[in-house]
Amino acid sequence: VDDYAKEHNVGSDDDRGVVLMGNSLGSLVALAAATGDFVGTIPIDTDESSYLAGTRDEESSSSRIRGICLFNCAVGLNSRNLLKNPTYDPVQRAILNWLFDLFDFFIFDNELLLTYALNNIVTKDLLRDALKSLYTHDPERVDDELVDSFYYPAKLGGSGAVEAIRQIYTNDAGLTPMEAIRQIYG
């Protein structure tokens, strides 16, 4: 998002700024672009600052962001951000953390199991049903093109598909939406 905005000079000085919008995981992408949270985490051709988020200090801001609109905002890049829920006491957090570690060890760090699941369990019908459960308002919007956009990368991606699934569940969950908003507005 940041590279695209920079390449197309989006939010330049003669513009009124950018309103970023996202749904579900796209909300987290919008927040990451607005905060510059991704800078330094992936190889990008910058001087270690975000084009859209710019720099912020107490006196000024070079942000090109005019607003952010989040629809059905995800809690994080994976479920580990549940551990940051302030309503959980330390014992609940410890139990959840232990369960996540068990899932990681027995399932998501098990390349043979993930490969077997992708090759022998994942079907278009299974994906269609899973996607329909996410589109509760209008499940009929789940069409062949959407199903295929998940199915073929999973089936043809080889070890890259297995690694992508593993990383989805085991990588750092990133900022919660609340943490990202605090980063923007202090």
Side-chain angles (χ1 to χ4, degrees), residues 78-117:
N78 63 42
S79 297
R80 286 232 182 220
N81 269 349
L82 290 173
L83 299 173
K84 296 178 182 178
N85 185 333
T87 63
Y88 292 152
D89 64 48
V91 172
Q92 290 171 311
R93 281 194 186 94
I95 291 169
L96 284 172
N97 193 48
W98 180 75
L99 286 172
F100 285 132
D101 288 344
L102 281 177
F103 286 139
D104 287 353
F105 181 77
F106 287 112
I107 298 171
F108 302 115
D109 287 336
N110 187 335
E111 186 175 345
L112 290 174
L113 178 64
L114 291 177
T115 301
Y116 176 84

Side-chain angles (χ1 to χ4, degrees), residues 19-35 65 67-75 175-182 184-185:
V19 176
L20 297 174
M21 298 170 57
N23 179 50
S24 189
L25 184 58
S27 294
L28 295 177
V29 172
L31 282 170
T35 61
I65 304 297
I68 306 171
C69 184
L70 310 177
F71 299 98
N72 189 28
C73 190
V75 72
L175 297 175
T176 66
M178 294 69 66
E179 290 169 329
I181 294 297
R182 279 193 297 275
I184 294 171
Y185 297 107

